[in-house]
Each structure stands twice: as C-alpha cells, then as structure tokens.
Amino acid sequence: MTLELKGVSKVVEGQTHIHPTDLTLEKGTMNVLLGPTTAGKTSLMRLMAGLDVPNSGQILWQGEDVTGQRVQDRKVAMVYQQFINYPSMSVYDNIASPIKLMGVSAKEIDTRVRETAEMMKLTPMLDRKPLELSGGQQQRCALARALVKNAGLVLLDEPLANLDYKLREELRQEIPKIFEASGSIFVYATTEPEEALLLGGNVATLWEGRITQFGPTPRVYRQPVDATTARVFSDPPMNFLAVSKTGDRLMFGDGQSTPALGKLAELPDGRYTAGFRPNHLEIMSGGTQAMKFTAKLQVTELTGSETFVHLDHHGERWVGLIHGVHDLTLGADLDVWLDARHVYIFGEDGALVAPAAYALAA
Amino acid sequence: MNKTVNQKAWFLVLPVLILVAFSAVIPLMTVVNYSVQDTFGNNQFFWAGLEWFEEMLHDDRMWNALKRQLLFSGIILAIEIPLGIFVALNMPKSGFWSSFCLVLMSLPLLIPWNVVGTIWQIFGRVDIGLLGYVLDKLGIDYNYTQDTLDAWITIIVMDVWHWTSLVALLAFAGLKSIPDAYYQAAKIDQASRWKVFRYIELPKMMGVLMIAILLRFMDSFMIYTEPFVVTGGGPGNATTLLSIDLVKMALGQFDLGPAAAFSLMYFLVILLISWVFYTVMVNLDKKGM
C-alpha cells in the first residue's frame, strides 16, 4: 500500500496553496506534516483525501491513478482539530456510522465497534452522546470513527490542538502505539516540532506551500537540508547570524572568529549564514570551543524550570532557552556562549553547507 | 459559612422592579381587578368573584375562538418552520447573492403589521387586487369576504409570506455556524444528503429552531392586526381569532369583566403552551437531538 503524489499542485483564486509536490508514503508509516499555519498542511491533506482535486499532477494509490476520484470512493478517514461527531447519535452509533454504510454484517459491526472503543478507552461511554463527554473523550470518539473503518489512509489534521496540555500528552503517547497496530498510512499535521519528534516516523516540513524536506524525523531534525527547514523544525525558531570564512577562520560580524574545523575547513572562502538552536545558547562560560557574544537582553519569559531570553545581537534577533530561573536585567548587555560544535552553516541561498558537528556524531 | 447580609443590593434591583411594575405588573393587576368585578359605568364597581371566569369557561364563544386560534397557529407553524428550513438550506452560503437574499428576506419583516394587512386586503380583492383579479379571470371562484375557506387561505398565506423569512433567517444563522469539517466528515462517511440533514444540520440548528418555533407560536397566538384588517374576523366569525374576539368583547360590547377574565385565561394559555414547548425542546436539546 503506497500513496504517491506526483507533481501535485493546487491554486485557489490565483494563489498557489501547494506548489508542485512529489511525495511517496509507505504502508504502515506515520508521516508528520510539520509547518506553521497557512504552510499548506490542510490543503495537502485535502488533496490526499480527494476532498479537493489538484490543478496539476497525479495521485496514485497502490500504483493506481485516483486523481479525479471522489472522496466517497476512496478508503480514507479523517480527524480534525474540532471534535467532529454526530451530535444526535450515541458514541456507539458514532463509531459504527462509517462502517454501517459499507455493507458490513451487523455482528461484525458490533465486534469492530467494541474493539475500537476498547482501544480508545471509550467502552464505559458507549451509550452517551458526544456532548456529554469531555473534550479528550470526544476526540477519542472521532479517532475511533477514523480507525474503525480500516481505511488505508488516515489523515489527522492537528487532532490534539484543541485539547488541554495533559490530555494532549496522554493521547500523544497512545497514538503511535495504536497506529503501529493498524498498518494504514497515517498522515498527521501539526505546527509543533516537539509533537513531530514525539510521534517519530517520517516528517515532511512545509513552508509556503512547498515540502522543504521529507525523511525520518530524527534525521530531518539533525540534518535539515536548508535554513527554512531548520527554522520550521525548531521551536522557538533557529537563530541565525552572518559569518564569513577567510582562510582557516570563521569570522563573525562582531570581530570574533573561531578556527574552522573539520568539514568547515574544506569550505571555500565566502559569506555564509550560521544557525544554532535556542537550547544551545548558554549564559555560563562553556568549554574551550565556546564562542562568546554580547547581546542586548530585550525580553525574558519564565516557564518554570526554563527561561526564554530574547536577545538583540547587532540587529539579529535571537532567542535562547536556558535552564533554571535567572535574575537578568532587561536592556542590559548579556554575555552568551555558543559551542562551535552546535553551529550549522548554510550557504547564501539557504542550503545546508555543513551540519553541526554534534548532529553528525549522533 | 457566614454570609454577610448586605441590604444595599435592594437599591440595585429597584430600578428594574419599578420598570417591570409599571410596564407589566400594574396593568396586569388592573385586568385582574376588572376580572373579579362588575361595572355599570360611572366608576361604580361591584364584587363579582369568579363569576366571569365561570361564565367564560362555559361560553362556547371563547372555546370556538380558542379552537380557531389553535388551528391557525398549528397550520402556520406546520408550514413556516419546514418552509423556512427549506429556504435556509437552499440559500447561497456566501458572496453577493447571500447578502442579496438576506436583504430580500428581511423586507417583509420590516413592513408594519397593519400595512401587511392592507396590502393583502387589496391584493386579494376581485375588483382591483392583482391576486383576486387573476384568480377570477382563471375562473376560480375566490372571495375572502364571503367564503370561509378563502378567508382562511388568505390569512394563512399572508402570515406565511410575512413571517417565513424570520424562520429562514434564524435557520440560516444556525446553518452558518456549522464548521465545514462536519460536511467533510459526512462526505468521507459516504452519508446521503438526507443523513447530512438529519444527523448534522438539524441537530446543529435545534437551538435556533427552538427560538423560531417559540417566537412564531407566541406571535401567531396573539395575532390581531393583519387578519383584522383583511377580514375583520369574518365572514361571520370564521376568522375571529382570540384577540379579535377579545377586542370585540372589551371595546365593542364594553363587557369589561368577562373580557378581563378572558384575557387572563388567554394569557395563561399562552404561558402554558410556551412552557410545554420550551420544556419539550430543552429536553430534546439535552439529548443532542
């Protein structure tokens, strides 16, 4: 079972929602579409489902062209950010509704509904109406409706976004297990890099209607192909600073330099963009390879055990995530350290030139 | 737990109390006052007790008016609610034509009630009215001033014309609030058009429909102006609905006592039926019907 998109694009009222896209999803895989709002996650899913017809390109299901086929005739299930259940039906009837119309025997319907309900921990609520359930249970019910069909393709459009933190964590842990058992192709849209990392599988990063990279999640995280992917797959986004390489040294804008080691040494001289993740910025002096920068502290946000520091480094806006709660003066200059092993180097066109040393080692 | 008693709160409630007293309680009490007394003019009143109530309850006149009223309200609800839903379902959801339809449909609602009556009174006349004239030319014997059925059809069509758009507008508002994802989910489930209506649109519209039914029931049950202008309650008493009968009794015959007793019972009937409607519908709503 494979789903293949070949040069699929979507233009709505002159605006390109999806640029020509190629993507192949394999049976039994979890595929995360990661990107900010309006990146095209939902548009892409609607194309995959058959809710929209692409302006160009082909959609192949098990090698067969299904491009113009209506959603009714495909084996698709979808779960939305809103909790979509039939309000007047009981949870049991809700779960049964997708298979009732498929000509399955009454006995089998009953077995499948009860199995799915058990898996989604809904057995005690089968007789209730969706509105009598908590938000988490309502979404479990919607998930059960998607799973009961044994659809080859299950699309989940930010299914956990409307749940509170605790419930989100709980379902996030369960979802990969449930999906592993089913053998369908799963596509899961999210705006949160953290969610993509937790779910594992593959990730496709989306930016302005294009897939910037597709591959196993940890790989995409460690070795983003370009600056855009790195920005999308990092929350807060990756920080950037201009660098230039002359001889065996990397020069930073503020007159600092560091020896260009390893792969960096092989780079031709020229201008580059360096990028580093917020959690790699430190306010304590690091090891021998640490570079020191001085930046103006603009905002601090406390999140309990961690502190976000928003910095202005000669016009470049950085965000750092540092451990512990610190007493910092706003508006003052702050010394921060960055380990050279944590720096990615991108070319002027944004393509990755050299990944960070730590990412290669891992 | 100790509660602090703060009598100052009464001052805050006072304005509302005064307002309600003058707008509702005092007029209502005047009616109560009339209903238990008899008068022969000159501001002379005699205690009558519950006599008027008993008399009215045994009077065929009120029962007949009540029957006509229930029939009228029943018919217009049976037509306006489904028709309003049907119109709402077929309205364009967005864009210019959506706004156009909304404006077009609010027009009947903006016309004063006696004007609506006058429009239809003239519209239906055989000599100068477009409708009456055309029907007459088509060979259909139509005359609302003489034929009971024609009179009924006229006032019902008039009410449907006047008020269906209210139901349609409310139903449309209900429909608009349904997220698109519901329709997508139904499509994916291969649900038929009827099932989409029965399991998504109807349950989601229930809240506003409840309001529509209540409003249309209460308004139609109190209707006076329009049928009065068109038929004056005739032919005979055929379209004498409750309020027309009440006005005849109170102002035409100056039977203040019976009329007061009549209005109080009228009021209680409306209250009772509205309460029943409301309770039934709130229960349906709770079940997510």
Side-chain angles (χ1 to χ4, degrees):
Chain A
M1 240 180 332
T2 52
L3 178 74
E4 244 179 296
L5 307 187
K6 280 187 176 170
V8 165
S9 74
K10 182 75 191 170
V11 180
V12 182
E13 288 165 7
Q15 277 191 312
T16 308
H17 287 199
I18 297 291
H19 293 277
T21 294
D22 295 306
L23 188 65
T24 305
L25 307 177
E26 301 289 341
K27 173 184 164 47
T29 52
M30 172 60 141
N31 304 280
V32 180
L33 297 180
L34 175 66
T37 347
T38 73
K41 302 186 297 294
T42 305
S43 308
L44 200 56
M45 281 195 157
R46 291 180 61 99
L47 291 172
M48 288 176 179
L51 285 163
D52 286 335
V53 180
N55 294 75
S56 72
Q58 273 185 315
I59 297 169
L60 305 180
W61 176 250
Q62 294 176 312
E64 189 191 331
D65 191 345
V66 292
T67 313
Q69 217 174 65
R70 294 181 311 161
V71 64
Q72 288 93 322
D73 305 325
R74 298 203 199 171
K75 293 193 87 189
V76 191
M78 197 154 176
V79 177
Y80 304 84
Q81 185 177 340
Q82 303 102 321
F83 314 137
I84 305 292
N85 294 300
Y86 298 111
S88 59
M89 292 185 190
S90 66
V91 170
Y92 183 97
D93 289 330
N94 257 293
I95 302 177
S97 64
I99 43 174
K100 265 190 185 161
L101 292 163
M102 285 168 42
V104 178
S105 73
K107 208 178 144 214
E108 205 197 323
I109 291 179
D110 191 67
T111 338
R112 274 164 75 173
V113 168
R114 289 186 191 282
E115 261 175 30
T116 317
E118 188 61 39
M119 193 161 66
M120 294 312 299
K121 299 181 184 165
L122 284 169
T123 308
M125 291 96 187
L126 281 175
D127 294 329
R128 295 207 211 154
K129 293 277 162 66
L131 287 178
E132 295 167 332
L133 304 177
S134 71
Q137 289 165 341
Q138 286 182 42
Q139 195 62 319
R140 280 169 188 278
C141 182
L143 283 164
R145 286 187 37 235
L147 289 170
V148 78
K149 255 174 114 171
N150 278 330
L153 178 64
V154 181
L155 303 163
L156 305 124
D157 194 357
E158 300 188 46
L160 307 184
N162 281 9
L163 291 173
D164 70 56
Y165 185 70
K166 271 273 166 233
L167 286 167
R168 211 183 307 167
E169 297 255 288
E170 195 183 302
L171 267 172
R172 226 183 236 160
Q173 283 170 2
E174 287 176 35
I175 280 176
K177 286 179 212 155
I178 292 164
F179 292 175
E180 236 167 67
S182 94
S184 304
I185 298 176
F186 286 89
V187 181
Y188 188 113
T190 180
T191 55
E192 292 173 51
E194 197 191 339
E195 197 158 76
L197 287 167
L198 278 166
L199 289 168
N202 299 319
V203 70
T205 44
L206 261 103
W207 179 258
E208 291 177 352
R210 283 175 222 273
I211 292 183
T212 58
Q213 191 174 359
F214 176 67
T217 307
R219 201 188 137 90
V220 176
Y221 183 76
R222 291 206 189 95
Q223 297 185 34
V225 290
D226 54 22
T228 307
T229 306
R231 192 184 293 132
V232 171
F233 209 159
S234 175
D235 182 37
M238 186 174 261
N239 301 303
F240 295 101
L241 72 158
V243 293
S244 56
K245 181 172 177 283
T246 21
D248 59 352
R249 296 196 79 79
L250 280 177
M251 316 283 291
F252 297 96
D254 56 356
Q256 272 204 91
S257 66
T258 177
L261 303 167
K263 269 192 135 182
L264 293 181
E266 298 158 20
L267 292 177
D269 287 3
R271 298 180 154 279
Y272 298 95
T273 304
F276 61 92
R277 296 189 192 277
N279 55 317
H280 289 141
L281 201 68
E282 285 166 76
I283 56 165
M284 246 73 89
S285 173
T288 47
Q289 295 205 21
M291 296 171 286
K292 183 178 157 193
F293 296 95
T294 305
K296 191 165 278 185
L297 181 63
Q298 293 187 314
V299 180
T300 61
E301 293 171 80
L302 298 179
T303 63
S305 56
E306 284 164 335
T307 307
F308 285 105
V309 290
H310 294 251
L311 303 164
D312 179 3
H313 177 259
H314 304 289
E316 285 156 337
R317 299 183 61 87
W318 293 354
V319 182
L321 174 62
I322 52 182
H323 285 290
V325 174
H326 301 267
D327 193 16
L328 303 165
T329 321
L330 292 182
D333 282 337
L334 186 69
D335 290 338
V336 288
W337 283 267
L338 176 65
D339 193 316
R341 286 170 304 183
H342 290 151
V343 176
Y344 290 83
I345 303 291
F346 301 97
E348 278 192 298
D349 58 352
L352 184 73
V353 177
Y358 87 100
L360 284 178
Chain B
M1 212 173 79
N2 277 326
K3 273 188 188 166
T4 345
V5 179
N6 188 348
Q7 303 289 1
K8 268 184 215 154
W10 289 107
F11 286 103
L12 301 174
V13 192
L14 207 59
V16 177
L17 282 181
I18 293 171
L19 215 68
V20 173
F22 277 96
S23 68
V25 181
I26 293 174
L28 187 67
M29 284 307 125
T30 320
V31 177
V32 172
N33 196 28
Y34 281 131
S35 72
V36 291
Q37 299 189 73
D38 197 1
T39 179
F40 303 103
N42 297 331
N43 236 0
Q44 279 183 295
F45 288 93
F46 303 93
W47 176 253
L50 294 175
E51 202 181 301
W52 298 131
F53 289 90
E54 278 170 36
E55 193 184 307
M56 289 317 298
L57 281 174
H58 292 108
D59 191 350
D60 280 347
R61 180 177 166 181
M62 192 188 85
W63 287 111
N64 287 334
L66 181 64
K67 274 182 221 157
R68 284 191 287 269
Q69 186 68 66
L70 286 170
L71 184 67
F72 177 76
S73 292
I75 291 174
I76 66 111
L77 278 182
I79 297 174
E80 286 174 17
I81 301 295
L83 186 62
I85 295 173
F86 180 78
V87 170
L89 285 173
N90 289 294
M91 265 170 72
K93 291 276 179 298
S94 59
F96 170 78
W97 289 109
S98 179
S99 321
F100 181 80
C101 286
L102 288 176
V103 171
L104 196 69
M105 294 223 291
S106 351
L107 284 180
L109 302 175
L110 298 174
I111 301 173
W113 297 8
N114 56 345
V115 176
V116 172
T118 314
I119 290 172
W120 281 83
Q121 206 256 346
I122 296 170
F123 190 43
R125 274 173 64 168
V126 179
D127 51 349
I128 54 168
L130 185 64
L131 177 72
Y133 184 78
V134 170
L135 287 177
D136 191 50
K137 284 292 161 214
L138 288 173
I140 297 163
D141 186 21
Y142 166 82
N143 190 335
Y144 63 79
T145 55
Q146 290 185 3
D147 187 273
T148 305
L149 187 63
D150 290 351
W152 269 81
I153 291 173
T154 309
I155 60 169
I156 284 165
V157 171
M158 173 177 64
D159 200 83
V160 168
W161 175 82
H162 194 182
W163 290 111
T164 303
S165 29
L166 178 76
V167 181
L169 291 177
L170 284 169
F172 185 68
L175 281 176
K176 285 268 275 191
S177 70
I178 303 174
D180 189 49
Y182 276 92
Y183 294 106
Q184 283 178 37
K187 233 186 192 179
I188 290 172
D189 283 355
Q190 307 172 351
S192 60
R193 181 73 193 84
W194 161 249
K195 289 210 157 140
V196 171
F197 175 71
R198 170 64 187 82
Y199 293 109
I200 295 174
E201 291 172 331
L202 193 61
K204 287 270 164 189
M205 272 195 293
M206 218 46 206
V208 282
L209 280 185
M210 187 170 93
I211 294 169
I213 293 174
L214 261 182
L215 280 179
R216 279 319 297 135
F217 168 73
M218 288 190 301
D219 263 357
S220 69
F221 212 76
M222 295 186 289
I223 193 168
Y224 174 76
T225 321
E226 300 138 282
F228 182 77
V229 173
V230 177
T231 65
N237 273 334
T239 55
T240 303
L241 302 173
L242 278 174
S243 61
I244 298 179
D245 204 16
L246 180 63
V247 171
K248 272 187 190 165
M249 193 186 287
L251 301 177
Q253 297 152 234
F254 220 69
D255 286 335
L256 288 186
F262 188 160
S263 8
L264 283 179
M265 287 188 284
Y266 189 4
F267 170 63
L268 289 178
V269 169
I270 293 183
L271 207 63
L272 180 78
I273 300 181
S274 298
W275 178 75
V276 171
F277 262 120
Y278 184 78
T279 316
V280 169
M281 284 187 277
V282 164
N283 279 332
L284 282 179
D285 204 37
K286 255 190 218 149
K287 284 189 205 145
M289 180 14 249

